[in-house]
Each structure stands twice: as structure tokens, then as C-alpha cells.
Amino acid sequence: MAEEADVIVVGGGLAGLVAATEIADAGKRVVVVDQEGEQSLGGQAFWSFGGLFLVDTPEQRRLGIKDSYDLAVQDWLGSAGFDRDEDLWPRRWAEAYVAFAAGEKRAWLRAMGHRIFPVVGWAERGGYDAMGHGNSVPRFHVTWGTGPGIVEPFERRAREAERAGRLTFKFRHRVDALTISNGRVDGVSGAILEPDHVERGKSSSRKVAGDFTLRAQAVIVASGGIGGNHDLVRHNWPERLGKAPENMISGVPEHVDGRMIGIIEAAGARLINRDRMWHYVEGIRNWSPIWPRHGIRILPGPSSLWFDATGRRLPSPLFPGSDTLGQLQYIMGTGYDYSWFVLTQSIIKKEFALSGSEQNPDLTGKSWLMTARRATNKGAPAPVEAFKTHGVDFIVRDNLADLVSAMNALVGNDLLKVENLKAQIEARDREIANPYAKDTQVLNIHNARRYIGDRLIRTAKPHRILDPAHGPLIAVKLNILTRKTLGGFETDLDSRVFGQDGKIMPGLYAAGEAAGFGGGGMHGYRSLEGTFLGGCLFSGRNAGRAAAKAS
Ligand SMILES: Cc1cc2nc3c(=O)[nH]c(=O)nc-3n(C[C@H](O)[C@H](O)[C@H](O)COP(=O)(O)OP(=O)(O)OC[C@H]3O[C@@H](n4cnc5c(N)ncnc54)[C@H](O)[C@@H]3O)c2cc1C
């Protein structure tokens, strides 16, 4: 049965919600279609840490950080490394997005009640030269309330529009095809899935209970990326990153299945930069999983020692928190798909944060009291301590020999030699007392401690790894964790999708991860972090406004 709306939005994640609320606010009628149930509204963003890339904010200024649009663009272009003809629109999106992050993004969110935790984080610190990869300054602004806190204003606006009759949700509606009439995309069709009341994030039934067709003047695709589909990740894995990992864990729910991307491509849309992806190398298997192969990313501070599977320390500047893609490339070049952190109790306590709303009950629950304990507690935050106790990837021992033998036992080989690790750790430990050391990781630690935010909650006081007073020793096996799709459908700045013939496909728009967060890949090869949620906000807003205007 055909139903009428001005615009159909495929996907009730953050990008879809932003687009839909803009359409409804423009006085148009919008239908939001999602294959999952109502309980999963908000998609990945709900699970996220809520970190946002913002430039030259009051939060930064209060901490003595001097940031600017020019510095941020320099960092972005140095990280993106745009080098292809098809980077034309991604580069335009990148420049427009950085202007948004340095301009109205914060005020726009603030007007909707969004608030920011006052200590700004410093992600992807690079370590090359001024024009290379990385954030020159801290820019990772954590939403007070994490993922749910970024979804909340848009869900609220959507519910208001629903009550006013301008927005309709169609949950458990899985889109299987676009409809195109006279060269114009004018609807979607697909399957109605049987009701399923599984908890948010858990895999839901795919049993079909009916079918549907919807018609509108435009369709916005906001269906997310491919990170939950390991076959697709391996299929798109680029040679420059070595062989695709045999073992991966999932940083996203199973509904991030990439299926819709194939459907839109088959309808004639131009998918670019599919070989660019953003997977993490500090993944740990969740001892209390929600979705299949559920992994959590450690957001590491700068002090853990990082060894590859053979026991070699990762080369400079591949230290924790510096260059995710460089680390992935290095690790896959070793012939193994895992690596190790070796650290102390003093380091884990101050430096381990876990990415995900459910792993940060203090920030997610907006509890100042609990959050203050990050700076004052004797132990690590409770979720980190829980991983230390229950996580299969964590080993805790009082001496290095026992630690190394347990590390070998965990992976079932004898690649690690205690004498080899000892020599490298002792060499690093000899450098630690002197602030004018030559070890670049030690220099980075001293640099980090000059930033008050890091000194407060992210960087342990420099100490020897083998000093028993800072023990016990901890080893963490780090797995490759799939997360983000950096390529996507090529779009202009109004989020209109280009066809494979290079012409705009009338009636079709794309936003969020499906659009490579704008343009088909505004990040290029690398992200500065906090740019994905922000990319959903910006591309969703552009898509919604443009589609509303055109319909
Ligand atoms: C644990 C975690 C932590 C993160 N932390 C951060 C962070 O701190 N900062 C940051 O910037 N980013 C972060 N991210 C990334 C960010 O959350 C995502 O990239 C972003 O939310 C993607 O939003 P989206 O709307 O594009 O897609 P999604 O959230 O994936 O939503 C897509 C929706 O489309 C639906 N759908 C798909 N196909 C169909 C179909 N055929 N028919 C109907 N519906 C369909 C899906 O069910 C889903 O609801 C994190 C992600 C995770 C999982």
C-alpha cells in the first residue's frame, strides 16, 4: 500500500534523526523507516562516547588551548591525505565541516540543551610534522550524558513533530529497494519484519511478516556503514593495510550491516572510497557482550608500552593515542592481527577510558560526584576494573616473568621472550626520571602533562614500569575492532547523491556514515576523532534542509 510523505528517511540513527527533524521543522511531512525496533532508536550514536570535534571553544580557552579554523584545517588536511580525483567533494565537505565545527555547531547544539564535559580530550595526537596527521591541540569534547546525551535533543524534536503529525516512524520496516519513476527517486519498498522486543543493540529477528511500499518526493539514505559485517569489511580491505585480519571483533551492533549500501549502489548511485575505513587496534573482547563479537575500544592515555605480537615495541611515533591508521598498518605488517599493551596499575587507573556510553556510567548518568572520582580514586573507574577482573584479554601479575608466560599462554604460542621485553622496558625506564630524555614516548608523556586536562585525568605521573610500588603489572591483548566506514555515496554540499554517470540522481540524498559523513569521504584516510557524530549532525542537517526545500 502506498503512503504519502514529502520525504522518506531510511535509518533512525543520528544522521536520520537530524535530517528528519529539520524536514519536520520546515513544515514538511517525513517518514522515518528503520529495520530495527523502536527500542533501538538513535542507532550507533546511543552507544557512542559522545565525543565531538569542536574548534576554538570556550571549553578549550578555559584550559589555555589556542585553537583556530586555520589550525584545524591544517590538521584535517594533513590527516585526510586527499590524493584522488574523487576527493573533490570530500575535500569541499571537509572544509565546510571544519567551518561548522569552528562556527555554529556548539551554539546550535547548546540551544537544544546539549552540554559538554569541561575537560577537553586529546585524541589522535599524531607525532609527525606540522602538516602531518593528528590534532595539534585537544579538541575531543565529550557530551555530558555521552551517546544518549547527543541523541536526546533530536529524539525530543522528533517526538514533538510526531505528535504534531508531521513525522511518522515505521519501525521494523527494512528497505530492500528504491523506486524510481521517470528518472526520479520517489520511494522505497521492502519487508516488514516480525515484532521483536530484544534489548537495544541485540540482534533482532529477520523473519518477514509482510511487505510495504512508500512514496515521497525525495529519499534520504542514512543507513549507516558496514562495521557489523565482517565479510564486507574483509572484501573492502585495501592492500596497503596488508592482509585483512583473520580475527576481528565488532565495535558496532549487527544492524550496521552495510546491506543498504549495496541496494543504493545497485540503483545507480556512485559509491566512492570504499577502501577507506576506520578500525581500531585497541579492541578488547567484552566480557558482558550485547551484540555478536562485541568489542570495546580502549581510549588510551600516552604511557602504556606497546608491543607487537613478536615482542617488538611499536616504532615512534606509534604510541598510544597517536595514529590509528599507522598502527593498523604496522600491526598488519607483522603477520599477526593482535598486539599488546604492558602497563602498571598506576597507568590503568588514570589512563584507561573505554569508548561507549554503557562503559562510562558517570558521564552517561551526568553524575558530577562519580566523574570527580576519575581524578581522585585509588582504582580505575569501575568498568575498567571489571574488565581487569573478568576480561579475557587482561592479565595481571606481580612480576614480568609471570606476566610474559601468561601472555604466551593466552595466545597459545611462545613468541614473547621475557629477556627481550625486560631489556626494552628497562631501557625505557632509564629515561623516565629525566624530562630531557631521548625516548619519544617519554617526551610525549612530559608534553601531555603540561596540558592541565591530561594531568588531571589522562596521564599518569611518570614512573618506572618495573617499579613494584606502581604495580601490579598488567598486560592487555589488543584486537582489531571494526567500527567506521570512511567512504560512501558521493554527494554535493546539499547531500544530493551523484549517479554513476556523474549526474545528480534527482530525489536521492545521503547523510551520515552512508555518505562517508559527507561527500563520499570527508575524512580522507584518517580521522581526528569526534568527527563522526559531528559528521552525522552536519550532513543530516544539510540533507534535511535541502530535501525540505526541494519538496
Ligand atoms: C561504541 C561506539 C562509540 C562511538 N564513539 C564515538 C564518538 O565518541 N565520537 C564520534 O564522533 N563517533 C563515535 N562513534 C561513531 C558514531 O556513533 C557513528 O558513526 C554514527 O552514530 C553513525 O550514525 P548513522 O546515523 O550514520 O548510522 P547508524 O547509527 O548506523 O544508523 C543507521 C540506521 O539505519 C538502519 N538501517 C540500515 N539499513 C536499513 C535498511 N535497509 N532499512 C531500514 N533501516 C536500515 C539501522 O537499523 C540503523 O538504525 C561511536 C560508535 C560506537 C558504536
Side-chain angles (χ1 to χ4, degrees):
M1 190 185 74
E3 296 185 34
E4 297 302 321
D6 294 308
V7 185
I8 296 162
V9 175
V10 182
L14 183 63
L17 277 175
V18 174
T21 50
E22 289 295 320
I23 294 161
D25 280 7
K28 302 289 167 101
R29 289 164 311 144
V30 58
V31 178
V32 180
V33 184
D34 201 297
Q35 61 189 355
E36 294 306 313
E38 185 158 13
Q39 67 275 28
S40 283
L41 186 61
Q44 296 177 61
F46 177 89
W47 298 107
S48 77
F49 194 40
L52 294 178
F53 174 87
L54 288 161
V55 177
D56 191 18
T57 60
E59 287 77 17
Q60 287 175 305
R61 288 194 287 272
R62 273 197 289 273
L63 295 164
I65 300 161
K66 294 185 175 55
D67 201 3
S68 66
Y69 171 79
D70 289 341
L71 186 63
V73 167
Q74 169 184 312
D75 288 350
W76 193 290
L77 296 180
S79 299
F82 293 124
D83 61 357
R84 302 174 177 173
D85 288 347
E86 56 266 43
D87 282 331
L88 177 73
W89 285 104
R91 179 189 276 269
R92 287 179 182 164
W93 267 89
E95 285 164 1
Y97 175 66
V98 177
F100 175 64
E104 60 178 312
K105 180 175 175 184
R106 183 179 177 281
W108 182 61
L109 286 170
R110 201 173 163 79
M112 286 181 254
H114 177 271
R115 292 292 180 272
I116 291 167
F117 179 61
V119 181
V120 182
W122 194 356
E124 292 294 299
R125 299 174 188 209
Y128 306 93
D129 62 26
M131 292 178 78
H133 169 63
N135 283 297
S136 300
V137 294
R139 293 193 178 108
F140 191 74
H141 295 67
V142 177
T143 297
W144 187 234
T146 69
I150 190 77
V151 172
E152 193 273 330
F154 300 97
E155 182 173 353
R156 193 183 60 233
R157 282 173 60 195
R159 295 293 185 193
E160 280 162 17
E162 189 181 26
R163 280 192 291 277
R166 291 194 303 279
L167 186 149
T168 309
F169 284 114
K170 299 262 179 208
F171 296 108
R172 303 295 286 159
H173 280 54
R174 186 190 68 199
V175 174
D176 295 332
L178 288 183
T179 53
I180 303 178
S181 312
N182 301 321
R184 186 178 183 85
V185 175
D186 64 353
V188 295
S189 63
I192 301 173
L193 304 176
E194 69 171 359
D196 191 336
H197 301 292
V198 285
E199 272 170 57
R200 181 194 279 275
K202 289 210 188 282
S203 304
S204 65
S205 162
R206 286 293 177 261
K207 194 160 169 221
V208 174
D211 54 28
F212 73 96
T213 305
L214 290 166
R215 296 219 175 266
Q217 296 175 48
V219 174
I220 298 177
V221 178
S223 55
I226 66 168
N229 182 340
H230 289 194
D231 290 340
L232 209 45
V233 169
R234 288 200 181 92
H235 183 74
N236 289 344
W237 194 268
E239 256 175 43
R240 63 178 182 279
L241 293 179
K243 213 163 91 2
E246 265 170 40
N247 304 298
M248 293 188 281
I249 54 179
S250 274
V252 295
E254 203 173 25
H255 67 68
V256 189
D257 57 18
R259 195 172 158 275
M260 192 65 196
I261 297 202
I263 292 167
I264 303 298
E265 192 180 16
R270 188 166 181 231
L271 183 65
I272 58 174
N273 298 318
R274 72 181 86 207
D275 60 315
R276 293 178 181 164
M277 297 177 259
W278 193 244
H279 305 308
Y280 294 108
V281 284
E282 315 95 334
I284 47 176
R285 288 169 281 176
N286 194 347
W287 61 274
S288 175
I290 296 166
W291 53 76
R293 301 172 290 201
H294 191 170
I296 300 289
R297 185 204 175 193
I298 300 169
L299 299 162
S303 306
S304 297
L305 277 181
W306 203 336
F307 295 97
D308 67 23
T310 69
R312 232 191 99 192
R313 199 170 157 200
L314 264 62
S316 174
L318 302 180
F319 305 119
S322 63
D323 175 6
T324 294
L325 193 77
Q327 285 145 356
L328 180 59
Q329 193 162 16
Y330 173 85
I331 289 165
M332 292 319 298
T334 65
Y336 298 90
D337 49 24
Y338 66 91
S339 61
W340 297 99
F341 274 168
V342 172
L343 61 149
T344 62
Q345 174 63 24
S346 299
I347 294 174
I348 202 169
K349 179 184 116 169
K350 193 124 180 192
E351 299 199 3
F352 266 35
L354 301 174
S355 181
S357 51
E358 83 288 5
Q359 299 295 337
N360 295 276
D362 50 354
L363 293 162
T364 304
K366 303 185 182 179
S367 164
W368 284 112
L369 191 67
M370 275 171 79
T371 306
R373 290 197 197 122
R374 285 183 185 235
T376 55
N377 242 17
K378 277 206 174 347
V384 176
E385 285 293 337
F387 261 95
K388 216 180 89 192
T389 311
H390 307 294
V392 285
D393 294 314
F394 283 71
I395 300 166
V396 182
R397 294 290 186 277
D398 285 327
N399 65 70
L400 190 63
D402 288 352
L403 191 81
V404 172
S405 90
M407 290 161 82
N408 281 332
L410 179 63
V411 289
N413 62 36
D414 60 357
L415 285 173
L416 301 175
K417 308 287 175 219
V418 67
E419 284 314 316
N420 176 28
L421 258 69
K422 187 164 177 252
Q424 296 176 81
I425 298 173
E426 281 179 350
R428 175 267 182 207
D429 278 359
R430 275 182 210 107
E431 304 261 324
I432 202 72
N434 195 334
Y436 314 109
K438 77 172 178 194
D439 185 290
T440 349
Q441 184 172 10
V442 171
L443 294 178
N444 283 352
I445 295 169
H446 292 310
N447 188 35
R449 295 226 3 131
R450 285 163 58 207
Y451 167 49
I452 184 176
D454 269 3
R455 200 165 59 244
L456 271 175
I457 54 169
R458 287 296 275 160
T459 307
K461 211 166 162 194
H463 60 273
R464 289 185 299 111
I465 301 281
L466 295 179
D467 180 350
H470 289 274
L473 284 168
I474 300 162
V476 187
K477 181 186 172 223
L478 304 173
N479 309 277
I480 311 287
L481 172 132
T482 62
R483 186 93 94 209
K484 286 135 190 169
T485 312
L486 297 186
F489 292 109
E490 185 179 33
T491 55
D492 70 4
L493 288 174
D494 281 339
S495 300
R496 297 183 303 167
V497 176
F498 288 94
Q500 286 150 20
D501 59 2
K503 295 193 185 114
I504 293 288
M505 287 179 75
L508 186 63
Y509 298 76
E513 209 165 331
F517 300 95
M522 71 168 185
H523 295 92
Y525 289 90
R526 288 172 163 89
S527 163
L528 291 171
E529 285 295 340
T531 55
F532 308 103
L533 294 167
C536 289
L537 298 175
F538 189 54
S539 63
R541 197 175 83 149
N542 284 9
R545 288 183 181 177
K549 208 163 152 197
S551 56

